[in-house]
Amino acid sequence: MVCRKQVIVTVTVLCSMSLDVCGAFSSSGGSNGGGNRPDRHMSAAQRARREEEQRRGERKSDVIPGKTSAISGAKDFELNVQRTELEWNVQASGSERRVKEYTVRGMDALKMLRLKEADEAFDALYEIKPDAYCWQAGIVKFYLEDYRAAAELFARNANIYESKFENMASEERIWRDACELKMMSLTKRKYRESKPPLSQIKEKDMLGPKETRKVVRISEELFRASMENDLSAMTLARAKLRSICGEYDGDSKKDGKRRKLIDQKMWKLNSWYYLGLHYDVLGDNESSKNCMKMALRQCVSGNGTDIIQILPMLHMALRDWFDDDAFEEDNNFDDGDENDSIWNDYLQTANGASSSSAANTIEESVDNMKLAQLQNALKRRDLKSSGSKSALKERLKRILLEDAASACGKVTVDN
């Protein structure tokens, strides 16, 4: 009996002590440091919120860049181009200011078609800074008929651009090839071995970034194919550009009035100009003149900021191609809007019943090829190159028409 009473007393004391501990823990806020719920009962969102508040408290007086969102009392710099330019002029060295001065002077003279003045400014620029990036200086040399110096400038600027930005210097590559093709056209034969070769551009990295501007990419393919004497690739690239340009049938009207479509992306302007430049360096002046006149129609009034806006005028002025002949019509006047696909100009049937400008371009180019050129073009495509000249023409036309159709995502030639 005595033992039972001792056990009861012991259990009572232990229970009392346990209750006292629990009460003290609860009154102190538990393990949450003052909260009403312990950590084990907190949700993941509540725990994350508490941790974020702790981090914000730690960063409140922290001014390490990358951790604080703003410094107390600081403000953003004003986006003022004129003020930034003024501050740069104050901080720039004398040579840096002269580089900018000659660059602006040369560009302004080029836009005003004063090539001698532009050439002097760009020459002064390169005397101060031989590694300056200014590919427009090559255009001035080209139209002053100093093709070797122009090619050297284009190659140098292409190497600078591609090594610095790791992107394709497509315009520089086009113009460098244009210089060599022009020299070959003027001599009517390949360069004499006694002449030093023109400056070269480093080989393209096939795994590197690609040219994203469609017209410029096709134009670069056109000039490169001419350099490699790949007539089939040249014909196909020319047909693609001609398809973008449109037909010579601008008679469509709306409400009795002709409405001009604005070439905001300058696809037609670039296509017409590079086609005209390609014809020019190959010695086909008549075709070049027609293309340049159409390119001139696409230029905005008042001389735009892009260099391409003044090149058709410059080309025609130096070639003295302004005359009283009417402009040939294209489909620049239409009822549709600019969002219509410009690639719907491809042929619809293989027999030419509704052939487009692209099909006509292919047919004209193939008809002008000699027998040896036809055989070489077919061999490059691993096609049969034996047979009569007419059979070779039909064979090459068919494969080029199929390639042209597939380029716009549709097959229009029956097998």
Side-chain angles (χ1 to χ4, degrees), residues 126-145:
Y126 279 108
E127 287 180 3
I128 299 174
K129 189 177 182 182
D131 61 342
Y133 176 73
C134 184
W135 68 276
Q136 294 86 350
I139 296 179
V140 176
K141 296 287 187 185
F142 178 88
Y143 281 111
L144 289 175
E145 300 183 357

Side-chain angles (χ1 to χ4, degrees), residues 140-158:
V140 176
K141 296 287 187 185
F142 178 88
Y143 281 111
L144 289 175
E145 300 183 357
D146 190 355
Y147 303 115
R148 184 171 294 276
E152 195 276 333
L153 281 173
F154 289 127
R156 184 196 309 175
N157 281 276

Side-chain angles (χ1 to χ4, degrees), residues 367-380:
D367 286 340
N368 291 332
M369 291 184 186
K370 299 178 180 179
L371 177 60
Q373 293 173 328
L374 291 168
Q375 293 173 337
N376 182 56
L378 290 170
K379 287 179 180 179
R380 282 178 173 268

Side-chain angles (χ1 to χ4, degrees), residues 273-330:
Y273 177 76
Y274 284 121
L275 273 176
L277 179 64
H278 185 255
Y279 281 122
D280 181 90
V281 298
L282 294 183
D284 189 347
N285 291 334
E286 189 62 29
S287 297
S288 178
K289 178 180 178 181
N290 292 334
C291 291
M292 287 297 174
K293 291 178 71 174
M294 296 306 298
L296 189 60
R297 291 189 62 187
Q298 311 298 325
C299 297
V300 298
S301 59
N303 196 338
T305 56
D306 197 298
I307 188 66
I308 193 66
Q309 296 285 350
I310 60 104
L311 293 182
M313 173 71 74
L314 174 63
H315 194 101
M316 293 192 63
L318 294 178
R319 299 292 189 266
D320 195 20
W321 283 349
F322 288 101
D323 49 35
D324 296 330
D325 296 341
F327 282 99
E328 293 199 62
E329 299 292 344
D330 70 345

